[in-house]
Amino acid sequence: MATARRERYRKQTREEAKAVALAQLAESGTAGISVNAIAKAMGMTGPALYRYFASRDELLTELITDTYRDLAETLAQAVADAAPTDRFRAMARALRDWAKRQPDRYLLIYGTPVPGYHAPPETAEIAAGMMRTIVDACSAVGDADGATAHGATAGPGQQPLTELEAELARHLEGVRSWVPGEEPGGELKGRALRTWTRLHGVISLDVQGQFTGMGFDPSVLFEAEIDALVRGG
């Protein structure tokens, strides 16, 4: 019983420390995360909190891993709840909605890298799982494997590949796998990669307030980008 109580207390303390760290993140970014400051906010000493997190990097790893997992689960759930023909749009919208709800966590994993910090392999595995979700969502848009060369017949809603798109597809055929499960073809890899970069491009600018003062609604731009991706544009 005593061991169980200690484990519960340890878990509660770690969760409280992470919540305080997220508040610091929202206030001053990753540079503001301090184990000693977290301990003070919790009514503890720095050395006492170091019994729960051996270093600031260990705490950052927990925050980053939790964030990746939360986003991965959000995207997977959005796809699971949508009809097959709507999965791509559901995935894209879930990604933006998640980022807009918690921009600090979004920038923690997609913003400026933390100087001197090296993420563990586990985060790369979770990120690869998210890319699998994107690949699968892209495969539901037209016949992704039917257009592998310039002028090839694409699936419904998909335009024939341009020369540069075909070159990218051929290039990605020889690149090591960066998604778990069945290896996608080069065209599908290329489409997923372009989707990932274009969606994150709009979201990152939006989250950082780069559209402020431009006089338009970023959500309309995002929907237009989704539509272009669905059409193969």
Side-chain angles (χ1 to χ4, degrees):
M1 291 292 292
T3 300
R5 282 197 299 271
R6 283 196 298 270
E7 285 301 315
R8 285 198 301 272
Y9 180 74
R10 178 177 178 80
K11 181 178 180 181
Q12 290 169 358
T13 302
R14 286 171 62 87
E15 291 301 317
E16 183 180 351
K18 288 192 288 185
V20 175
L22 287 174
Q24 292 181 345
L25 178 70
E27 183 176 345
S28 52
T30 53
I33 296 178
S34 162
V35 173
N36 286 329
I38 292 169
K40 183 177 180 181
M42 295 172 62
M44 301 173 64
T45 65
L49 188 54
Y50 275 113
R51 292 201 295 267
Y52 297 90
F53 292 98
S55 66
R56 176 176 175 269
D57 279 3
E58 182 180 321
L59 176 56
L60 273 175
T61 293
E62 287 273 342
L63 296 178
I64 290 170
T65 302
D66 287 352
T67 299
Y68 268 120
R69 283 203 186 103
D70 186 31
L71 178 55
E73 291 169 4
T74 297
L75 298 187
Q77 190 61 55
V79 170
D81 290 343
T85 54
D86 294 330
R87 286 174 183 165
F88 182 88
R89 293 180 187 274
M91 178 275 299
R93 289 166 180 158
L95 175 60
R96 181 177 186 268
D97 289 346
W98 184 93
K100 293 289 286 182
R101 285 197 309 272
Q102 38 199 343
D104 303 303
R105 294 182 82 197
Y106 176 82
L107 293 174
L108 177 64
I109 57 176
Y110 291 116
T112 304
V114 180
Y117 174 79
H118 300 285
E122 183 180 4
T123 59
E125 292 171 7
I126 300 171
M130 280 196 287
M131 186 58 76
R132 176 83 256 175
T133 300
I134 294 173
V135 166
D136 291 343
C138 286
S139 71
V141 181
D143 179 9
D145 293 322
T148 55
H150 179 58
T153 301
Q158 293 297 314
Q159 301 297 319
L161 296 184
T162 66
E163 289 288 359
L164 288 176
E165 288 170 339
E167 181 180 350
L168 175 63
R170 290 190 295 270
H171 171 69
L172 292 176
E173 287 284 0
V175 172
R176 69 175 179 82
S177 178
W178 28 260
V179 294
E182 184 179 353
E183 179 70 3
E187 193 278 333
L188 180 51
K189 268 187 178 180
R191 196 191 310 174
L193 189 58
R194 294 196 306 275
T195 294
W196 185 67
T197 55
R198 287 170 66 174
L199 294 182
H200 278 296
V202 177
I203 292 170
S204 294
L205 290 170
D206 190 7
V207 164
Q208 295 179 78
Q210 297 299 322
F211 298 133
T212 301
M214 295 181 70
F216 70 91
D217 183 350
S219 66
V220 178
L221 171 62
F222 190 74
E223 287 295 323
E225 193 71 345
I226 293 175
D227 195 58
L229 287 164
V230 168
R231 291 185 290 102

